[in-house]
Amino acid sequence: MRRSLFLLEALALAIVAPAAAQESPNEPARTGPARGTEPTDARGSGAVPRGGAGAVVTPAKESESTGGTKVVMPVLKHFEHAAYPEAALKAGLEADVVLELTISATGIVTDARVVEPVGHGFDEAARDAARRFTFEPARRGTDPVAVKILYRYSFTLTPATAPSKEPVAPRYGALSGRLRIAGSDAPLAGVELVVTGAGSTYRQTTDNEGAFKLENLPPGAYSVEVTLPGYWAARHAETVIAGDLTEVTYRLAPRGEGIEVIVESERPPREVTRRTIERREIERIPGTSGDALRSIQSLPGVARPPGLAGLLIVRGSAPQDTQTFIDATNVPIIYHFGGLSSVVPTEFLERIDFYPGNFSARYGRVQGGIVDVALAPPNTKCSGDYGAKTEKSGCYHGMAQLDLIDARLMFQGPLGIVDGWDIAIGGRRSWVDTWLKPVLDAAEAGVTSAPVYYDYQLIAETRPTDRSRVSLRFYGSDDRLEILIRNPAAQDPAFGGNLTFGTRFYRVQALYEGQLSEDVELRAMVSSGYDGLDFSLGTFRFDLNAYPITTRSEFVWGLGSGIKLNTGMDLLVAPFEVYVRAPPPPRPGEPDPGPFATRPALETLVDSTVFRPGWYGELELVPTERLRIVPGARLDYARDTGHADFSPRLTARYDLVASSTSDQSDQGAGKSRLRTTAKGGVGLFHQPPQFQETDEVFGTPGLFSNRALHYSLGFEQELSRHVELSVEGFYKDLTEQVARSPTANTYAYNNDGLGTAYGIETLLKYKPDERFFGWLAYTLSKSVRQDGADAEEIAFQFDQTHNLIVLGSYRLGRGWEFGARFRVVSGPLTTPVLTPPSLPAVFAADAGAYAVLQGAPFSRRLPLFHQLDMRVDKRWQFRTWRLSAYLDVQNVYNNAAAEALVYNYNFSQEQFQTGLPIIPSLGVRGEF
Amino acid sequence: MRPRRAAMVAACVLAAGLLGCGTDFSPVSQVTTLRVLAVQKDKPYAKPGDTVELSMLWHDGSDEAPRPIQRAWVAFCFNPPGDLFTGCFADPARAGDVHAEMGDSVANDRFAFPIPRDIISGSRPGSESLRYGLSYVLFAICAGDLSLRSPSAEAPFPLSCKDEGGRDLGPEDFVAGYSAIYSYEEITNQNPRITGLEFDGRDVTADCLGVSCVTTPVTEPDCNEGGTCIPSCAEDGEPECPGYEFRAIVDPKSVELDEASETQSQGPYLEQMWVNYHVSSGAVDSDVKLVNDAVQGFHPEHETVVRAPKKSGPLTLWAIVRDNRGGVDWARFTVGVD
């Protein structure tokens, strides 16, 4: 039980103005022992005086003027106990309050003034009590006189020195505990804890059992900080109570559990907006099963694709307008089977940079957005026991993971046979075929080859010098399936028969980055590989074999203080052969051509070479620390279209308020100013037409590139050490877009298409700390298209007015982590069927199915989409390896979201096609 | 839950994101309203200058049957832009060469018109050997008054069907459609051929085969005179009812090479062929079954399973075989339901 004694230390320093006090009123409290006499009633449960009052009395002015008679100090006759301020008592605070008391000639306190306010309620309590004091008045000679004295009223939790028959209350408490590795009970020995409180700082080191104990701590609030290389720093608030032992257990989370991945750049980006996702975020965003590229779909500016489709729909642009690069090499697909999982496992990623618009001149031939994935160098850093990070390197690591979709292995470490080289190798195979085949067989689909995918990665890397890096890579992907559909679709029997699908690619890639001199840096990449895509259904077929060679070389020239020039060239040379046999498909918004089943197929066989060089230059001007201006330009040539495109671009960032930190080592922990940045950009972007648009059979030769003018303007505001707000408006003016219109007896492509996309993106982000990360992303946008200046404006197929995403993940301790993601998105657009007086559809007699009569394209929006996803992770850290498991549940409350409309056979009845029901996904992973 | 249904549910869950499933519409196989089931051309691929004769197989499954049904045919649309049938939604009165018939007699179930001699003309993408001409025939059947009308954005089809009050009838009483006739210089096509039917594991005699069904009325078999009969089912065609296999016997020799695929592809494809099953009551398990795959060839197990209705009376079954080049053949069989 807590017990306190309140002591009053009366320090009476008589002042008889003009005072020439020997103790300054400004001197800190408790500077010396009390010199007054202790009142006889100075004990009990109230505040009591402690010690006597030593007073050097200077006669009061009026007394002084009377001449040289000695003044006798006033003597306290009645002491009033002050009430100990409740809040201060709970907080264990003590204080000394110095008062100036005016004592009349009758011994009454006529005024009490606080000389030295200390707050916490002490001042008022001391003043109120002192006004009730009574004194034996001061005397000059025999005459009582009025005087002013200084009086120190002490509030303390220590026991009174006065003898008492009551038991002496304890004056100190203690703090003890154990330090452990999160996820296990392994002790952390030899770790220093810094304990701060009660005006003092204590340091204690854990023993071999990870235990520590601090005794004789004054009661009060303490902060305990633990920092250890390789672990997330921890800070805990504790309260020490007199007479009590406070016992605690702290667990430090190893940093090694997440790759240190993202990766805010060390300098401001060359682009208006670059969004980077940290490894921990990638792995823990609920609803993505830890898949790297799916996490991009949780960022502002990215529309939610329908169903499982892995489309990237960025700022109102078509999916094909956003391209994905792996270290500057374009890859044909980013998802297995169009959205199941990324073709590069998260474990091989160093970072993902996502540019929703106004990107650098470094990127060309794209008018939408850019996803640039950087592969991680092999990790050879050594871990200590229980995953603790060390400074050592040259160690091996391995990982094995199994979930409901696939299994993967990864191994990395020094190459061994060649000094200085490190290697990482990995592979993944889906195993859905083992359980999907029986399901498809039961559904009367003859499965020749059930869906299966592979991917593989090999990275060998070295650092020839401290300022250079060479990386050799080989990676690829392979998806395939073959099914005989014995029950063709009633609405279009073309969707029956033998279905084959296969995509595969590989790349051999070499990367060099080096500082050639103090002012010149070179980044070079060359890659060669293969892209294959085959699809067949009945008599329709698509076969593509391409052998792309890509190069990129960029020189960075330091031209002086605040000026840097980036110049580069990239080249795509791709011999290819493509064979297509299919009816020409309608473009979005075009009338339904009727069932494919009986439409004769067109055929084309093209054997050619794509040759597309590009040159770019970009200045980085930093005239002041706060301003960065990046003007740039790019020139692209496409031999297949015979056209060259010039694309000037400009971006700028200005720190209205530059951030400043007092402790650079703590990532802004000591920030004294929070950054405010204004940013904007304008630029021209070109994208060559798609293959089928210029093909002689399926398209119209002679087309030139689509053109987009990007504008963006916004700001970034740091709100705290971890919280940042980013708001950005964008406007895209799309011109010379490839469109199609009827001419003679065919539909011909042209460059008459127009469009606009505009909106505003907001991102309120809590940057990852040792326990939490999360963000709120909201995008408001509109995107429309026109087939020509005189054509009717229609909504873009994937237009989404509202897109709100709230997500977060919290480490609960003991290896547990819990996360949730909630999304509210405008429903997808659909094209309605005609209503009376028209029939909704007509009977296509040759196919035995109906052909829909469409209303205005994309003029009907389906109900709002909303979904909650949750994820729970548990990690067990052992001495030499780690085991983790996760349960990722999509659509927790099983919302039947409308993804599209489905109709009965003659389109006279409709229903919503609903999305995925509640889907739990379970995964287990072991690594060392 | 039966294993097959469980499998379908699992497949639906997998495919729901992209394909959709789990709807509870009446299947296309149940003919319970006025329906056109097929249109057969005597020359699925006609040459320029040929006269093509078309026959319509339709059935009025509504509770109001029998009732007067008007039929109409219009042919005036050749080589529309993009080969789109919607390109034919123009006013026939303004077309230069219009062939049309309208009436409510059996004779109106057939229609003939000539393919223009210059049908293969104008620019069309693709190789010369694959150049073709395209003729569209529009047709309609109507349980009211059928007439030509000027198309509009609200009602683009150039035929209207109204009741006595002048109100437009809906899809239960008015069916409009089209048939496309492709013309190549060299390539021809024959209709597939149904040689017989199997019911409940044995050969049965079809009511009719091919165009003869247009003029052959449905008669209820006499169960006491050797007619094929099955008991009614209280669950009215649901999967709980007993199943009877029903199969169209298709002549494998009627599967042709898809000659248009021989020009550039790695090997000649066969015609893709499938069969649509329809019932006047009750249900079938599979509406459509694959008969021949372009790559894997003939697939003899193309039967469906018939489940009896609750109501007794004649149960009419249709098997309509189609190929992917406009060819079609059909057969009809009537089962008595006790």
Side-chain angles (χ1 to χ4, degrees):
Chain A
M1 181 175 172
R2 184 186 182 92
R3 299 188 60 199
S4 300
L5 287 179
F6 306 138
L7 299 180
L8 178 141
E9 180 185 8
L11 173 65
L13 300 175
I15 302 173
V16 180
Q22 294 178 343
E23 285 190 55
S24 164
N26 294 326
E27 189 176 354
R30 294 186 188 172
T31 54
R35 284 173 283 181
T37 53
E38 182 177 344
T40 54
D41 59 348
R43 64 170 65 94
S45 61
V48 295
R50 186 183 66 191
V56 176
V57 179
T58 303
K61 279 183 179 178
E62 60 272 34
S63 302
E64 187 181 40
S65 62
T66 57
T69 309
K70 184 180 179 182
V71 175
V72 178
M73 284 285 296
V75 178
L76 185 62
K77 290 172 55 182
H78 171 73
F79 175 81
E80 182 73 19
H81 294 287
Y84 207 101
E86 190 175 346
L89 181 64
K90 285 181 180 175
L93 299 178
E94 298 177 326
D96 293 344
V97 181
V98 176
L99 302 163
E100 183 188 79
L101 304 181
T102 303
I103 304 169
S104 70
T106 60
I108 302 300
V109 176
T110 57
D111 191 25
R113 185 176 65 85
V114 177
V115 174
E116 222 179 346
V118 295
H120 304 288
F122 290 116
D123 304 329
E124 296 79 4
R127 187 178 57 214
D128 292 346
R131 282 175 174 161
R132 291 181 171 82
F133 289 176
T134 57
F135 289 84
E136 183 66 35
R139 294 181 184 278
R140 176 180 290 120
T142 57
D143 299 331
V145 294
V147 294
K148 287 184 178 180
I149 66 170
L150 291 179
Y151 192 94
R152 177 186 292 161
Y153 203 127
S154 294
F155 294 83
T156 177
L157 296 167
T158 56
T161 54
S164 171
K165 293 179 182 177
E166 296 177 8
V168 177
R171 298 179 57 187
Y172 302 104
L175 175 67
S176 73
R178 300 174 302 163
L179 190 60
R180 297 286 186 263
I181 296 175
S184 74
D185 261 341
L188 280 167
V191 180
E192 185 182 71
L193 295 88
V194 179
V195 182
T196 307
S200 301
T201 297
Y202 307 86
R203 296 177 186 275
Q204 176 72 283
T205 301
T206 56
D207 62 16
N208 289 337
E209 301 300 320
F212 63 92
K213 187 169 186 178
L214 286 158
E215 295 181 306
N216 298 321
L217 292 176
Y222 288 84
S223 168
V224 183
E225 289 187 58
V226 191
T227 55
L228 180 64
Y231 292 84
W232 294 100
R235 178 182 294 150
H236 302 273
E238 306 294 353
T239 300
V240 173
I241 299 169
D244 274 4
L245 171 65
T246 302
E247 291 187 284
V248 296
T249 300
Y250 299 139
R251 287 181 169 80
L252 292 190
R255 282 178 180 267
E257 63 173 307
I259 306 171
E260 296 163 25
V261 185
I262 316 199
V263 184
E264 295 286 344
S265 75
E266 295 174 355
R267 57 180 182 175
R270 280 148 70 171
E271 297 77 11
V272 177
T273 294
R274 174 176 62 193
R275 304 203 191 281
T276 310
I277 312 176
E278 286 201 23
R279 169 60 59 84
R280 181 180 164 205
E281 295 170 321
I282 291 172
E283 293 182 333
R284 296 287 193 267
I285 292 176
T288 65
S289 296
D291 187 83
L293 295 171
R294 296 190 76 86
S295 61
I296 296 172
Q297 295 173 353
S298 294
L299 292 174
V302 184
R304 190 189 77 88
L308 286 173
L311 306 174
L312 279 176
I313 304 155
V314 179
R315 287 187 176 175
S317 289
Q320 67 269 20
D321 294 348
T322 295
Q323 290 196 6
T324 302
F325 298 85
I326 296 179
D327 279 318
T329 295
N330 186 260
V331 291
I333 58 169
I334 57 172
Y335 294 112
H336 291 293
F337 288 113
L340 212 51
S341 63
S342 304
V343 293
V344 180
T346 305
E347 295 76 22
F348 273 89
L349 301 185
E350 182 178 34
R351 68 170 186 273
I352 301 173
D353 287 330
F354 170 58
Y355 308 98
N358 277 109
F359 40 85
S360 159
R362 187 189 332 158
Y363 301 103
R365 311 179 194 102
V366 186
Q367 65 169 347
I370 296 288
V371 175
D372 199 350
V373 175
L375 298 183
N379 178 18
T380 63
K381 291 180 180 174
C382 298
S383 301
D385 287 347
Y386 301 99
K389 268 197 171 178
T390 69
E391 297 303 315
K392 287 174 57 182
S393 62
C395 293
Y396 292 93
H397 298 279
M399 184 278 294
Q401 176 166 326
L402 179 70
D403 59 30
L404 295 177
I405 302 296
D406 60 39
R408 67 189 84 170
L409 291 169
M410 180 183 183
F411 183 79
Q412 53 189 337
L415 185 56
I417 55 175
V418 183
D419 280 349
W421 282 82
D422 301 325
I423 190 170
I425 185 168
R428 171 166 62 173
R429 184 197 190 279
S430 69
W431 61 286
V432 289
D433 50 321
T434 59
W435 55 268
L436 186 58
K437 187 175 188 304
V439 170
L440 292 171
D441 282 340
E444 296 189 10
V447 179
T448 309
S449 172
V452 62
Y453 64 75
Y454 308 82
D455 57 56
Y456 43 89
Q457 303 80 27
L458 173 64
I459 301 175
E461 192 159 312
T462 188
R463 288 187 172 275
T465 68
D466 290 343
R467 304 167 76 179
S468 62
R469 167 191 175 213
V470 175
S471 184
L472 306 177
R473 291 93 175 269
F474 174 66
Y475 53 86
S477 161
D478 194 332
D479 300 8
R480 66 185 70 151
L481 70 84
E482 185 169 356
I483 297 172
L484 179 65
I485 304 171
R486 297 192 180 101
N487 292 358
Q491 290 199 337
D492 193 340
F495 296 100
N498 198 53
L499 168 68
T500 65
F501 175 78
T503 59
R504 65 201 67 84
F505 79 90
Y506 68 79
R507 292 287 185 275
V508 179
Q509 187 182 46
L511 205 67
Y512 172 81
E513 294 175 355
Q515 195 83 30
L516 303 183
S517 70
E518 277 302 312
D519 299 322
V520 182
E521 184 182 340
L522 171 63
R523 299 169 193 155
M525 181 281 302
V526 60
S527 80
S528 177
Y530 166 72
D531 296 341
L533 169 61
D534 65 77
F535 169 80
S536 71
L537 178 63
T539 61
F540 306 151
R541 192 168 184 87
F542 182 94
D543 281 316
L544 168 71
N545 293 286
Y547 303 88
I549 299 168
T550 55
T551 68
R552 178 190 293 277
S553 53
E554 179 174 295
F555 286 90
V556 181
W557 312 82
L559 301 182
S561 176
I563 304 177
K564 195 177 283 185
L565 173 65
N566 307 304
T567 59
M569 177 195 175
D570 55 46
L571 174 67
L572 169 64
V573 179
F576 72 95
E577 180 184 275
V578 62
Y579 168 70
V580 184
R581 184 176 196 278
R587 287 168 64 87
E590 287 184 352
D592 178 22
F596 281 89
T598 54
R599 297 175 61 201
L602 298 179
E603 279 190 309
T604 188
L605 176 62
V606 179
D607 186 352
S608 183
T609 299
V610 169
F611 178 73
R612 294 179 178 174
W615 299 267
Y616 62 91
E618 213 167 45
L619 270 176
E620 290 185 67
L621 304 174
V622 189
T624 72
E625 285 188 358
R626 292 183 171 191
L627 178 62
R628 177 179 295 271
I629 304 172
V630 184
R634 182 179 176 90
L635 180 65
D636 283 293
Y637 173 72
R639 191 173 67 182
D640 44 315
T641 66
H643 289 272
D645 300 312
F646 180 66
S647 309
R649 299 169 193 178
L650 174 69
T651 63
R653 300 171 61 87
Y654 180 69
D655 290 341
L656 298 169
V657 177
S659 66
S660 64
T661 60
S662 57
D663 182 0
Q664 297 292 336
S665 66
D666 195 18
Q667 295 185 338
K671 275 186 177 174
S672 56
R673 275 207 311 268
L674 298 171
R675 180 175 59 85
T676 303
T677 301
K679 58 185 183 179
V682 58
L684 195 55
F685 301 82
H686 289 91
Q687 178 172 305
Q690 305 285 305
F691 161 78
Q692 72 278 9
E693 295 168 343
T694 56
D695 178 69
E696 289 186 354
V697 175
F698 284 87
T700 307
L703 299 175
F704 44 92
S705 295
N706 302 273
R707 182 179 184 272
L709 190 55
H710 292 197
Y711 303 89
S712 60
L713 188 63
F715 69 91
E716 296 167 2
Q717 175 64 59
E718 287 182 339
L719 300 177
S720 74
R721 173 188 172 192
H722 282 290
V723 182
E724 181 172 306
L725 173 68
S726 169
V727 179
E728 185 174 349
F730 65 89
Y731 181 87
K732 286 200 278 196
D733 183 20
L734 308 176
T735 55
E736 300 178 1
Q737 300 288 300
V738 173
R740 198 162 74 157
S741 60
T743 57
N745 60 355
T746 187
Y747 265 60
Y749 288 91
N750 53 54
N751 277 98
D752 296 340
L754 301 170
T756 54
Y758 53 92
I760 188 165
E761 299 169 359
T762 304
L763 178 64
L764 180 63
K765 183 171 183 177
Y766 187 95
K767 298 173 187 172
D769 63 15
E770 58 268 26
R771 286 208 176 270
F772 181 75
F773 74 85
W775 65 72
L776 182 152
Y778 173 69
T779 305
L780 174 69
S781 70
K782 184 176 176 66
S783 183
V784 296
R785 298 288 187 276
Q786 279 179 281
D787 278 346
D790 299 327
E792 187 179 357
E793 182 179 275
I794 62 172
F796 170 56
Q797 180 182 7
F798 297 109
D799 176 62
Q800 281 178 5
T801 308
H802 305 282
N803 188 336
L804 173 68
I805 300 168
V806 184
L807 65 85
S809 186
Y810 187 77
R811 284 194 170 124
L812 301 167
R814 295 178 178 269
W816 288 95
E817 184 163 355
F818 173 78
R821 177 178 70 166
F822 182 64
R823 293 178 289 167
V824 182
V825 184
S826 297
L829 289 175
T830 186
T831 299
V833 301
L834 288 180
T835 54
S838 173
L839 291 170
V842 295
F843 184 60
D846 305 313
Y850 280 74
V852 65
L853 298 178
Q854 296 175 332
F858 310 121
S859 59
R860 179 175 170 188
R861 192 174 290 283
L862 299 184
L864 198 71
F865 169 90
H866 53 92
Q867 180 171 309
L868 176 67
D869 309 316
M870 287 184 174
R871 180 185 172 102
V872 178
D873 289 81
K874 169 63 178 168
R875 192 183 57 252
W876 295 268
Q877 177 69 53
F878 301 99
R879 181 175 293 274
T880 57
W881 67 290
R882 183 164 58 240
L883 177 67
S884 52
Y886 72 83
L887 175 65
D888 194 327
V889 184
Q890 295 188 47
N891 197 5
V892 170
Y893 56 86
N894 200 24
N895 177 43
E899 298 283 7
L901 286 175
V902 288
Y903 297 90
N904 70 337
Y905 66 90
N906 65 356
F907 294 84
S908 60
Q909 299 170 35
E910 68 176 31
Q911 287 182 2
F912 291 135
Q913 175 193 313
T914 55
L916 291 171
I918 180 169
I919 299 283
S921 175
L922 188 65
V924 181
R925 170 179 175 142
E927 57 194 311
F928 66 89
Chain B
M1 187 181 287
R2 301 191 312 176
R4 183 167 173 270
R5 179 166 293 185
M8 287 302 294
V9 169
C12 281
V13 168
L14 290 168
L18 295 174
L19 303 178
C21 54
T23 61
D24 52 7
F25 298 126
S26 295
V28 64
S29 55
Q30 291 180 343
V31 185
T32 56
T33 62
L34 181 62
R35 295 275 295 276
V36 175
L37 301 179
V39 171
Q40 188 189 60
K41 295 159 283 193
D42 63 343
K43 302 180 186 67
Y45 278 179
K47 292 194 172 179
D50 282 352
T51 293
V52 180
E53 185 170 327
L54 299 96
S55 303
M56 183 193 301
L57 178 68
W58 60 270
H59 180 74
D60 187 3
S62 76
D63 295 337
E64 299 170 30
R67 53 183 175 169
I69 300 296
Q70 291 195 339
R71 290 83 113 178
W73 301 86
V74 189
F76 66 94
C77 179
F78 307 98
N79 293 327
D83 291 350
L84 297 178
F85 70 92
T86 51
C88 298
F89 290 173
D91 190 348
R94 298 185 179 182
D97 186 14
V98 180
H99 302 268
E101 283 186 12
M102 195 178 298
D104 59 1
S105 70
V106 172
N108 296 117
D109 290 332
R110 306 180 85 158
F111 173 69
F113 81 104
I115 302 292
R117 294 189 180 280
D118 61 349
I119 187 73
I120 307 175
S121 63
S123 64
R124 187 179 293 279
S127 65
E128 284 297 311
S129 61
L130 287 178
R131 292 184 65 203
Y132 59 82
L134 175 59
S135 308
Y136 273 106
V137 175
L138 306 182
F139 60 81
I141 57 174
C142 166
D145 293 327
L146 201 56
S147 62
L148 291 171
R149 73 170 161 198
S150 295
S152 64
E154 292 73 28
F157 198 77
L159 290 163
S160 70
C161 175
K162 296 179 184 294
D163 64 10
E164 292 176 350
R167 292 181 293 269
D168 285 286
L169 292 174
E172 295 194 344
D173 304 301
F174 173 38
V175 179
Y178 67 86
S179 180
I181 301 103
Y182 289 89
S183 300
Y184 293 85
E185 292 288 1
E186 302 295 336
I187 301 173
T188 59
N189 182 30
Q190 302 298 316
N191 285 310
R193 194 165 56 252
I194 296 177
T195 58
L197 297 172
E198 277 183 10
F199 186 82
D200 200 17
R202 58 189 175 86
D203 289 346
V204 293
T205 302
D207 294 353
C208 54
L209 293 172
V211 293
S212 63
C213 293
V214 172
T215 55
T216 305
V218 174
T219 55
E220 184 171 2
D222 187 342
C223 299
N224 299 322
E225 296 294 329
T228 303
C229 296
I230 59 175
S232 62
C233 177
E235 283 75 27
D236 198 17
E238 289 297 308
E240 292 75 19
C241 294
Y244 306 92
E245 283 191 354
F246 179 54
R247 187 168 80 98
I249 302 171
V250 180
D251 182 2
K253 294 178 181 173
S254 67
V255 177
E256 299 170 282
L257 283 178
D258 184 352
E259 296 166 83
S261 70
E262 288 188 292
T263 52
Q264 296 186 25
S265 59
Q266 289 87 339
Y269 286 106
L270 298 170
E271 287 178 324
Q272 192 88 357
M273 196 176 282
W274 65 93
V275 56
N276 296 79
Y277 290 106
H278 296 280
V279 290
S280 59
S281 59
V284 292
D285 284 1
S286 299
D287 301 331
V288 188
K289 296 288 285 189
L290 184 69
V291 175
N292 192 76
D293 178 66
V295 176
Q296 298 199 358
F298 199 73
H299 182 60
E301 296 171 354
H302 50 258
E303 69 280 353
T304 190
V305 173
V306 176
R307 300 190 189 275
K310 185 177 182 180
K311 185 180 175 183
S312 60
L315 165 59
T316 306
L317 310 176
W318 291 271
I320 301 168
V321 176
R322 291 182 169 89
D323 66 42
N324 63 330
R325 299 193 299 165
V328 62
D329 194 17
W330 56 66
R332 194 182 75 208
F333 181 60
T334 304
V335 178
V337 178
D338 295 331

